[in-house]
Amino acid sequence: WTAVRTKFIDDHISEFAATGKYAQLLNLGAGMDTRPYRLECYKNFKNGNFDFDMAVVNKNKQVVFEKFLSSPKAHCGTRNIDLDFLGEEKTIATALDSFAVKPNSGYPGANAGQTEKGPSQNCTFDKAQPSVIISEGLIMYLGKIGKKKLIEDVSAVAAPGSALVLQFMDASESEASKAHPGALDNALSRAEALEFLSAGGWDTDTIQFYRFGEEKLNFGRFPLDKCKPTASFSFCVCFKK
């Protein structure tokens, strides 16, 4: 599954980057993600890439990248931003304020936030321009309130035309969830996704859902001869109106 979801996201990022429509990329719950360093298409995100995760994760990421990966050079400006997605005081929007393009200047505030060596210093965020937004392995850890908050916070920073690739767990087909209803707090059904995304201004008429094992989400890595596609490992891709 990890290999399949990685390729699925890689392919979508490459597709979006090739259009030249998207100024920046936001990666929510980025962890140790290396896409800005291994995918050349990131050079098309002229405002750069913003990786969000908890401070302890970003601290360890910096150590790993410096000591074990010899401080690799990214294909575009890249920022690591500390964020607790359940926090109320600091949100995706307020975290990006430090990197926002200032009116009439075209430049962000000096020395704002965390930086990496090299091209990361060229990172800016323009809230008026479309973004590619990735959420991988995150929403299922945020709980009943947190999953709705995440989509609300994402919607608040997504300009019209932005693209969202959201990986989630849909437990509606799970027999185990029927025996343990509390499990649904961490899952996201298609109905919930449509409700939350519609409220946030996303185009739910063109939204696409994918289940692990279906033709566009298996890449030859799912035993269709033994198992049926499962909604427990799902994606949706949608665009902001």
Side-chain angles (χ1 to χ4, degrees):
W1 164 241
T2 301
V4 169
R5 82 180 195 187
T6 298
K7 179 168 174 51
F8 182 87
I9 294 174
D10 285 0
D11 287 353
H12 276 81
I13 290 175
S14 297
E15 178 183 338
F16 294 144
T19 68
K21 296 178 180 179
Y22 302 95
Q24 56 251 331
L25 186 144
L26 313 181
N27 189 344
L28 311 180
M32 299 287 173
D33 190 71
T34 60
R35 288 187 177 94
Y37 305 89
R38 63 180 180 79
L39 296 181
E40 189 175 350
C41 67
Y42 268 69
K43 66 184 181 182
N44 291 335
F45 298 117
K46 61 181 181 180
N47 289 353
N49 169 74
F50 299 85
D51 283 349
F52 294 79
D53 217 313
M54 298 183 71
V56 64
V57 175
N58 285 335
K59 182 178 180 180
N60 290 331
K61 179 180 181 178
Q62 184 174 355
V63 172
V64 170
F65 276 47
E66 289 181 356
K67 291 190 174 182
F68 298 98
L69 300 180
S70 303
S71 299
K73 182 179 179 180
H75 291 289
C76 70
T78 295
R79 297 273 187 173
N80 290 330
I81 300 179
D82 297 343
L83 183 66
D84 178 353
F85 292 96
L86 294 176
E88 294 292 341
E89 294 185 4
K90 186 178 181 181
T91 64
I92 299 170
T94 60
L96 287 170
D97 282 345
S98 298
F99 310 105
V101 172
K102 304 300 180 182
N104 303 319
S105 72
Y107 296 95
N111 302 318
Q114 298 183 10
T115 64
E116 297 176 0
K117 296 178 181 179
S120 62
Q121 297 176 2
N122 299 323
C123 242
T124 62
F125 178 74
D126 189 342
K127 63 181 181 181
Q129 296 193 51
S131 304
V132 172
I133 304 172
I134 306 298
S135 177
E136 176 185 11
L138 173 63
I139 199 168
M140 63 285 294
Y141 296 106
L142 301 182
K144 185 176 182 179
I145 296 175
K147 61 186 177 183
K148 182 178 181 181
K149 179 182 183 298
L150 177 67
I151 294 178
E152 290 174 344
D153 289 352
V154 167
S155 302
V157 299
S162 292
L164 171 64
V165 179
L166 173 66
Q167 187 252 316
F168 63 99
M169 298 180 70
D170 182 350
S172 61
E173 299 176 356
S174 170
E175 292 299 323
S177 68
K178 296 176 182 178
H180 304 282
L184 296 175
D185 288 348
N186 294 314
L188 183 74
S189 68
R190 288 195 181 192
E192 287 177 315
L194 289 169
E195 177 188 347
F196 299 159
L197 290 166
S198 178
W202 298 86
D203 186 354
T204 53
D205 290 331
T206 60
I207 190 171
Q208 293 181 304
F209 287 98
Y210 305 86
R211 297 183 304 164
F212 184 34
E214 293 178 338
E215 181 180 358
K216 294 184 179 180
L217 190 60
N218 71 55
F219 304 109
R221 296 295 187 94
F222 189 89
L224 287 169
D225 58 329
K226 299 178 181 179
C227 306
K228 295 180 180 180
T230 174
S232 295
F233 301 97
S234 292
F235 273 98
C236 72
V237 178
C238 58
F239 300 88
K240 189 75 176 292
K241 292 181 179 178

